[in-house]
Amino acid sequence: MRVLVVEDDLRLAGLVRRGLAAEGFAVQVCHDGNQGLALGKARAFDAIVLDIMLPGRNGYRVCADLRAAGVCTPILLLTAKDGVYDEAEGLDTGADDYLTKPFSYVVLVARLRALIRRGHLTRPAVLAAGDLTLDPATRRCHRGPAEIRLTGKEFQVLECLLRRREEVVTRAEVIEAVWVSDEEPAPNLVEVYVSALRRKIDAPFGRRSIETIRSVGYRLTADGTGR
């Protein structure tokens, strides 16, 4: 089970990361609201633990922006604010649960497991852009009725682009989403995988769905007119 923890208190973030890892979770941590938003949109997490008071973009905005982008990953707000209006605002922006600091670690784990169980029942199974579909559950990709065989990393790069379809995704964001922190990809590795994807999902079908944004990154479009 993969969990994103967005928390600017480095000590608390480290404690939560180690504790969740000991419970069998795969945990990614970031300390800034803007980065949390980018990761939440780009990667497939089973749950997000989101602080409210964050630099860059507060947790309410991150939550609202994730929901506006169609991300339905269960979100647990973790905050020192314990007023009923604070809780109501968090739930109104799209959060699924709310836990105040200081908190019981046993309760945090139990609530995360409950959110993940519910999330698996409600999360859209298939990502799509036009007739290009990607199913993270079965690890299968199709262009119309034709199945396309992808390597593990090709699948992850395409999933990153599909989760942010019609948006510009920087090379750094692709690396952040696909390569774990202990890996050090070569500078041109993203381009290598994007080229491989174009040969598989576009060229055989007369499409050009992955557009290169010069000096920035890529954008995947549904109509297949990218360059």
Side-chain angles (χ1 to χ4, degrees), residues 6 32-34 37 50-65 77 81 89 93:
V6 189
D32 174 89
N34 290 325
L37 176 62
L50 179 63
D51 189 25
I52 288 180
M53 303 303 291
L54 292 167
R57 187 185 305 249
N58 69 42
Y60 293 139
R61 287 188 58 202
V62 173
C63 184
D65 290 345
L77 288 178
K81 305 178 77 172
E89 183 175 358
T93 60

Side-chain angles (χ1 to χ4, degrees), residues 13 28 32 66 88 93 98 104 124 139 170 193:
Q28 182 160 358
D32 174 89
L66 285 172
T93 60
Y98 192 101
S104 163
R139 310 293 289 182
T170 68
Y193 279 102

